[in-house]
Amino acid sequence: MTAQPVAAIVGMGDAYATRADRKDPLQLAVEATVAALADAGITKNQVDALFTGRSPWADKRSQWNNIFASHMQMPLTFTSELTLHGAGLTATLAQASQMIAAGKAEYVLCLQSDATELFVDAVAMGAEADADPQFEVMYGPTIPSLYAQAARRYFHEFDITEADLAEVAVADQRWGAHHPHAAKAKHGEIDVATVLASPYVATPLRRWMCSTWGGGTGGALVVTAADNVRPQQKPVYLHGYGSATTHEYLSDRMNMRTCKFADFGTLPNLTHTATIEAARQAYAMAGLGPSDIDMVQMSVNFAHMGPILMEDLGFAKKGRGIDVYREGRTGIDGDLPTDTNGGWLSFGQPGISCNMDTIVETVRQLRGQALGLAPTRKPETALVQGAGGMLAAGSVLVLAA
């Protein structure tokens, strides 16, 4: 490490729900928070501030962060939702570290939960939330059909094929098949033929190339200063972070003609994302580069996003991200184990909590407390990438044990 950590995660808690064991977002959030406070060895009265992502899809009340704090009877000096789409949840750690560095808080709670498919019509809500009401909604888009446009463009520009994307689904399912809470674990490991035999959801994306909703999850993190870690705590250190956003709706993205971010490609395009800029910031802050990272957790909701994000994060040249999967680098014996709970493709995407699921998995792996498989070589550094919207926003964390 060439830079000192800017904060430490000293408490982590997670919670899960299924159709057979239904819990709403508030229940999941409470369960995860109680576990995180116990893990950190502090009480709720020691928490100074609370950050969440946007309100859960399964509980769309405004000021959900304040509703939760009130439910917990936990007065705070500051609380807010970060609504950088889903990437806002990943960025809560950045805001927590800044508040701590400013001397405004000793302990900050970062929290998210959701249980979309257990309580709402997820397909209808997704189209309503993420399609432009003026230019897109009248055509009846779904989230897969919007992402499929980017997949088509990626195929056109770089000669990527459906068989290539099948490699991503197979790699993530190898991890997910062994995780007790992964939505697709019941299917076991799969091969390329299985993926290519599954029906189309939105061409060229087949069923196995798409994430599923996956029950309900909750995750909570207690963050404090790096020099405030107690002997009994199991810290994971935050060394760098970054975030960026470029647009709101996909049609906005296709109309982009200028962008101040470096290495963003010729505009308009659908094959580079804001994660490029978020990663640049995070690497610079941590004093690290892609070659220093032992493990990656990403927001791969559709298979083509795996290689695209590998490229945007600096692990491959543009158009060659699929090689990281083909060469087995993302697997248990690889040099870059990736999406070790199965990622969004196999673990599932319960709603807005999916970015917290990714962070929770990272903390577990860095602590050596994996619920599923662990890489052959225990990771010391990890990169977490969170996304949101229709290729709209990206947030990156660099964490270390």
Side-chain angles (χ1 to χ4, degrees), residues 154 158-160 307 310-311 315-326:
Y154 192 52
F158 301 109
D159 260 348
I160 301 297
M310 284 292 183
E311 297 155 12
F315 298 111
K317 292 181 180 179
K318 183 54 69 174
R320 303 312 313 164
I322 193 61
D323 293 343
V324 182
Y325 291 90
R326 283 180 181 149

Side-chain angles (χ1 to χ4, degrees), residues 1 175 235-236 292-297 331-332 334-338 340 361-370 373-383 399-401:
M1 289 290 173
W175 290 104
V236 167
D292 300 303
I293 302 300
D294 298 330
M295 180 179 69
V296 179
Q297 310 288 353
I332 188 169
D335 69 313
L336 197 66
T338 299
T340 56
E361 174 65 13
T362 307
V363 172
R364 284 194 171 278
Q365 291 286 359
L366 289 174
R367 284 179 165 188
Q369 300 173 337
L373 296 177
T376 301
R377 180 173 61 91
K378 182 181 178 298
E380 297 299 322
T381 59
L383 182 146
L399 302 172

Side-chain angles (χ1 to χ4, degrees), residues 52-387:
T52 72
R54 68 188 193 194
S55 59
W57 280 21
D59 184 354
K60 296 290 282 183
R61 288 178 289 176
S62 300
Q63 290 81 239
W64 193 87
N65 55 310
N66 207 51
I67 289 169
F68 171 78
S70 177
H71 180 77
M72 288 288 290
Q73 298 184 21
M74 188 168 63
L76 301 161
T77 58
F78 190 78
T79 177
S80 185
E81 297 178 359
L82 295 187
T83 56
L84 191 71
H85 275 287
L89 188 280
T90 312
T92 60
L93 271 76
Q95 298 301 309
S97 71
Q98 291 170 19
M99 195 167 186
I100 290 163
K104 294 295 186 180
E106 181 179 12
Y107 292 105
V108 178
L109 180 66
C110 297
L111 171 73
Q112 195 67 64
S113 62
D114 211 341
T116 304
E117 73 165 356
L118 303 184
F119 293 94
V120 300
D121 182 340
V123 174
M125 181 171 285
E128 176 186 297
D130 289 314
D132 189 317
Q134 186 174 7
F135 298 112
E136 297 173 1
V137 168
M138 68 284 294
Y139 297 107
T142 61
I143 292 176
S145 71
L146 292 166
Y147 267 87
Q149 296 179 61
R152 277 292 185 202
R153 188 64 194 177
Y154 192 52
F155 279 24
H156 173 74
E157 289 186 20
F158 301 109
D159 260 348
I160 301 297
T161 67
E162 288 185 26
D164 292 327
L165 297 195
E167 297 278 4
V168 180
V170 168
D172 273 16
Q173 183 64 9
R174 284 193 184 123
W175 290 104
H178 302 278
H179 195 288
H181 300 294
K184 296 181 182 177
K186 60 187 177 183
H187 299 293
E189 295 190 23
I190 59 172
D191 57 18
V192 168
T194 300
V195 179
L196 296 179
S198 63
Y200 284 115
V201 175
T203 55
L205 301 175
R206 295 179 180 271
R207 181 182 292 165
W208 269 105
M209 299 173 186
C210 305
S211 62
T212 189
W213 287 105
T217 61
L221 306 168
V222 176
V223 184
T224 193
D227 60 4
N228 194 40
V229 175
R230 300 176 181 179
Q232 70 273 22
Q233 292 171 333
K234 301 176 285 293
V236 167
Y237 293 99
L238 174 62
H239 283 264
Y241 54 78
S243 60
T245 185
T246 54
H247 63 285
E248 177 65 14
Y249 303 114
L250 193 69
S251 53
D252 297 333
R253 172 59 178 272
M254 289 188 275
N255 288 326
M256 285 177 63
R257 293 296 185 273
T258 61
C259 184
K260 67 179 181 180
F261 302 143
D263 302 321
F264 206 72
T266 303
L267 293 170
N269 74 57
L270 291 175
T271 59
H272 300 61
T273 76
T275 289
I276 294 173
E277 171 61 16
R280 185 197 66 76
Q281 296 170 23
Y283 286 138
M285 187 174 191
L288 300 174
S291 63
D292 300 303
I293 302 300
D294 298 330
M295 180 179 69
V296 179
Q297 310 288 353
M298 304 189 298
S299 51
V300 181
N301 47 357
F302 298 96
H304 63 292
M305 295 309 300
I308 286 176
L309 290 173
M310 284 292 183
E311 297 155 12
D312 289 353
L313 292 168
F315 298 111
K317 292 181 180 179
K318 183 54 69 174
R320 303 312 313 164
I322 193 61
D323 293 343
V324 182
Y325 291 90
R326 283 180 181 149
E327 295 164 5
R329 296 180 60 194
T330 68
I332 188 169
D333 296 321
D335 69 313
L336 197 66
T338 299
D339 294 343
T340 56
N341 64 353
W344 293 11
L345 276 182
S346 291
F347 181 85
Q349 194 176 352
I352 201 66
S353 58
C354 51
N355 277 307
M356 179 57 83
D357 299 335
T358 305
I359 303 173
V360 165
E361 174 65 13
T362 307
V363 172
R364 284 194 171 278
Q365 291 286 359
L366 289 174
R367 284 179 165 188
Q369 300 173 337
L371 292 180
L373 296 177
T376 301
R377 180 173 61 91
K378 182 181 178 298
E380 297 299 322
T381 59
L383 182 146
V384 180
Q385 181 269 345

